[in-house]
Amino acid sequence: MRPLVLDTGALIALERRDPRMVALSDEIIHARCPAYTPAGVVAQAWRGSPRQHPMVRLMRSRHIQVDSLNEEVAYEIGVLLAASGTSDVIDAHVALLAGRVRGAVVTSDPGDITALDSGLEVLAL
């Protein structure tokens, strides 16, 4: 299976126990599918609430890699935002990461991702 890159909407869908996202999470946890998410996505979605048990289960599974926002990535994000005429740093990090790992983006806002890179595969929730 192609790697998955989860955006904030995917983690929120998991918290809400969306059946499609629960199934994808199970695939990731059982190491059938590599997965990634930017650190900023985790910061946007994480609240430390008991309701977030499905997200805790996924993040603690060690089958999802959290990509840091370092200086090099920050410059790449800035260039992508300028080229696309958009301004969402987190979405740009999701798009860059998906391109780097050749993954499909799991999102609740496909238009936000395709505005950054129309060539990415997007799995809409």
Side-chain angles (χ1 to χ4, degrees):
M1 180 178 235
R2 184 174 200 171
L4 298 176
V5 178
L6 308 181
D7 81 348
T8 306
L11 293 183
I12 291 170
L14 181 59
E15 176 183 344
R16 293 180 177 161
R17 292 167 175 77
D18 176 282
R20 296 164 296 174
M21 194 56 222
V22 170
L24 284 174
S25 176
D26 287 342
E27 290 291 316
I28 295 165
I29 289 169
H30 296 296
R32 291 184 220 127
C33 177
Y36 304 83
T37 195
V41 164
V42 176
Q44 281 185 324
W46 185 256
R47 297 296 176 259
S49 163
R51 284 184 33 204
Q52 293 187 307
H53 173 74
M55 190 186 333
V56 171
R57 181 174 172 254
L58 174 63
M59 299 309 292
R60 289 191 178 158
S61 73
R62 298 197 176 135
H63 293 291
I64 185 165
Q65 294 182 26
V66 177
D67 193 61
S68 297
L69 176 56
N70 59 34
E71 184 177 0
E72 179 183 335
V73 172
Y75 289 129
E76 290 179 48
I77 288 170
V79 169
L80 178 57
L81 291 173
S84 65
T86 62
S87 61
D88 191 310
V89 171
I90 304 301
D91 283 347
H93 194 173
V94 168
L96 283 173
L97 180 57
R100 191 172 355 129
V101 302
R102 299 175 198 259
V105 177
V106 182
T107 181
S108 59
D109 295 312
D112 292 350
I113 300 302
T114 57
L116 290 154
D117 185 342
S118 60
L120 291 174
E121 179 181 353
V122 176
L123 304 175
L125 294 172

